[in-house]
Amino acid sequence: MTTTDAGASSREPKDVQVLSERLSGEEGDFLRCYHRRVQHASAAGGWSDPYSCDSVVRKMGMDAVAFVLHRMRSDGTLEVGLRKSMRPALFLDSDLGRGRRPSPRLWELPAGILEPGDRGDEGLVRRCSTEALEEMGARVPPEDFVPLGSPIWLSPGVMAERVYLFEAPLSSD
């Protein structure tokens, strides 16, 4: 597998300057949005033309864990644990252009936002174990969770949420 850095060049931004900033939403809201006018400096020198840059912040924290629970069934098929969650934004904010909206209920990996004590590798797997019990009813010890590489950014153009991915086996049936 190869990777490329499509944005790497002598024009790669080396700094971002905020020209103006406005925060929308109210203090107690789960999510708030920064509306900014920014410009970036390039390695070649000079600044870009100003442009809009909106970003979402979450008061509970910006990092999370998500994990795959799995087991091999006696018939040889792999079983993976998912949860079904209400995600009203899928219904309210999607525009498929075909007069249909997706269901607000979505199958997804179990996950959880990191809390203040969830720091370091031990904190991450402890959060996975807690969320496995809360969301899936599965008792999985923290030491059973294995990281699946580096964390990922789900929507880096809008939100600085970093998600740490893990997997853990469940006992077979």
Side-chain angles (χ1 to χ4, degrees), residues 112-127:
I113 298 170
L114 296 183
E115 296 183 9
D118 298 332
R119 297 294 171 233
D121 294 341
E122 287 182 14
L124 294 173
V125 295
R126 187 175 51 249
R127 174 59 38 209

Side-chain angles (χ1 to χ4, degrees), residues 50-72:
Y51 56 94
S52 295
C53 178
D54 292 344
S55 61
V56 176
V57 292
R58 181 174 53 215
K59 78 175 187 175
M60 292 180 69
M62 298 302 289
D63 293 343
V65 295
F67 48 90
V68 177
L69 299 178
H70 55 85
R71 69 176 156 211
M72 191 62 67

Side-chain angles (χ1 to χ4, degrees), residues 35-170:
H35 307 278
R36 297 181 178 108
R37 292 288 293 166
V38 300
Q39 62 187 93
H40 61 264
S42 70
W47 291 92
S48 70
D49 290 336
Y51 56 94
S52 295
C53 178
D54 292 344
S55 61
V56 176
V57 292
R58 181 174 53 215
K59 78 175 187 175
M60 292 180 69
M62 298 302 289
D63 293 343
V65 295
F67 48 90
V68 177
L69 299 178
H70 55 85
R71 69 176 156 211
M72 191 62 67
R73 296 179 53 152
S74 59
D75 65 3
T77 60
L78 180 64
E79 186 175 46
V80 176
L82 299 174
R83 65 183 292 255
K84 199 163 195 179
S85 300
M86 281 296 295
R87 300 296 182 211
L90 287 175
F91 181 80
L92 298 171
D93 298 337
S94 65
D95 180 7
L96 300 178
R98 295 184 296 269
R100 298 182 306 184
R101 289 183 170 169
S103 168
R105 291 186 52 82
L106 175 70
W107 285 105
E108 61 187 19
L109 294 173
I113 298 170
L114 296 183
E115 296 183 9
D118 298 332
R119 297 294 171 233
D121 294 341
E122 287 182 14
L124 294 173
V125 295
R126 187 175 51 249
R127 174 59 38 209
C128 288
S129 181
T130 299
E131 297 296 333
L133 184 58
E134 288 177 7
E135 295 190 1
M136 304 295 291
R139 293 188 188 282
V140 183
E143 59 272 12
D144 286 2
F145 285 92
V146 176
L148 295 173
S150 299
I152 61 172
W153 306 89
L154 296 179
S155 53
V158 178
M159 189 174 192
E161 178 184 33
R162 181 174 37 193
V163 179
Y164 295 86
L165 300 172
F166 290 85
E167 62 91 8
L170 294 172

Side-chain angles (χ1 to χ4, degrees), residues 4-13:
T4 61
D5 187 353
S9 72
S10 62
R11 296 174 22 139
E12 183 174 334

